[in-house]
């Protein structure tokens, strides 16, 4: 009887995911962030549609700029939620009770990670009408989305994972959010560097090393310039490898060492905590 009952009990990560999703969406935080996303996309679309100089810009370039805005704004949403997820519980002194639940630390982190990640597909769906508002050629829009959606998903996996890692190591939500925003701003810096520098070997290395910049370079070369995909696979491989490294660091190293005391607890942790129910 007890064995049958245990089989019907949902895993801890699913219970955590349902709880966090309820707080995020029914609590209003998720909708508030999506409203901010829509306002930013509306402003971007209006500027693109009314700028007289952009009227002479190729249609592929307009779609590329729109995809850049979707990635830039959309990735920010998941990063903010992830950065606050663990550190916020620690700051509110609710993490200790959470760690007493009958499940592994990793499952707790999985539930919170999936919740933060849920903002990306929601933002992507909301962004599709903006792309059609800028371009009547549906084939071009779907071609842009065919590459932009998977690349953006790879980046969302990375940025959300980094926010979670920072949150695991931070004692307060403000500290975690500050460090995560620094990383976010640093990822945007390559786009601000002079074109002459980006054409040098070091500049090319910077473009390939940063996952966000690598994804933008891929879209620039394939969607706008029409270059073969095979010639630019490096710009896809880099974001994929970075996502794998971040997820491995999060779930294989950091998550099992989740402690109530934050940084100090992680430094003392020589072996993973309870790992039942992985």
């Amino acid at each position: 009887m007890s064995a049958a009952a245990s089989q019907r009990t949902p895993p801890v990560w699913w219970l955590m995911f349902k709880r966090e999703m309820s707080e995020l969406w029914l609590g209003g935080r998720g909708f508030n962030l999506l409203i901010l996303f829509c306002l930013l996309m509306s402003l971007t679309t209006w500027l693109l549609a009314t700028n007289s100089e952009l009227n002479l810009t190729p249609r592929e370039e307009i779609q590329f700029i729109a995809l850049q805005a979707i990635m830039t704004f959309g990735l920010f949403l998941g990063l903010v939620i992830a950065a606050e997820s663990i550190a916020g519980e620690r700051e509110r002194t609710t993490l200790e009770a959470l760690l007493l639940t009958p499940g592994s630390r990793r499952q707790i982190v999985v539930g919170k990670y999936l919740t933060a990640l849920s903002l990306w597909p929601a933002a992507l769906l909301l962004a599709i009408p903006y792309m059609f508002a800028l371009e009547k050629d549906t084939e071009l829009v779907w071609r842009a989305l065919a590459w932009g959606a998977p690349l953006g998903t790879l980046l969302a996996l990375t940025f959300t994972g980094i926010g979670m890692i920072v949150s695991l190591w931070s004692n307060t939500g403000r500290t975690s959010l500050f460090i995560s925003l620094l990383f976010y701003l640093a990822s945007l810096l390559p786009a601000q560097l002079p074109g002459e520098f980006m054409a040098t070997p070091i500049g090319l290395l910077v473009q390939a090393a940063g996952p966000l910049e690598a994804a933008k370079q891929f879209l620039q070369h394939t969607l706008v310039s029409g270059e073969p995909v095979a010639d630019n696979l490096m710009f896809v491989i880099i974001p994929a490898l970075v996502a794998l490294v971040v997820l491995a660091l999060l779930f294989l190293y950091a998550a099992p060492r989740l402690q109530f005391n934050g940084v100090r607890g992680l430094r003392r942790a020589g072996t993973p905590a309870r790992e039942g129910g992985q």
Side-chain angles (χ1 to χ4, degrees), residues 155 158-159 183 186-188 190 198 203-218 234-236 238-240 242:
L155 295 174
T158 299
F159 277 69
F183 170 81
S187 69
L188 300 177
M198 299 305 284
L204 293 175
L205 179 62
V206 170
Q207 295 176 35
L212 180 57
E213 185 62 26
K216 290 180 179 179
Q217 289 300 317
F218 177 84
M234 176 186 67
F235 294 119
V236 178
I238 293 297
V242 173

Side-chain angles (χ1 to χ4, degrees), residues 151-203:
L151 282 173
T153 301
L154 278 177
L155 295 174
L157 292 171
T158 299
F159 277 69
T160 306
I162 289 174
M164 291 292 299
I165 292 172
V166 174
S167 190
L168 282 162
W169 279 334
S170 301
N171 285 317
T172 66
R174 285 170 295 181
T175 300
S176 178
L177 183 59
F178 176 74
I179 297 173
S180 298
L181 289 179
L182 285 180
F183 170 81
Y184 174 78
L185 294 175
S187 69
L188 300 177
L189 283 180
Q192 312 305 320
L193 296 175
E196 297 80 3
F197 171 77
M198 299 305 284
T200 65
I202 298 179

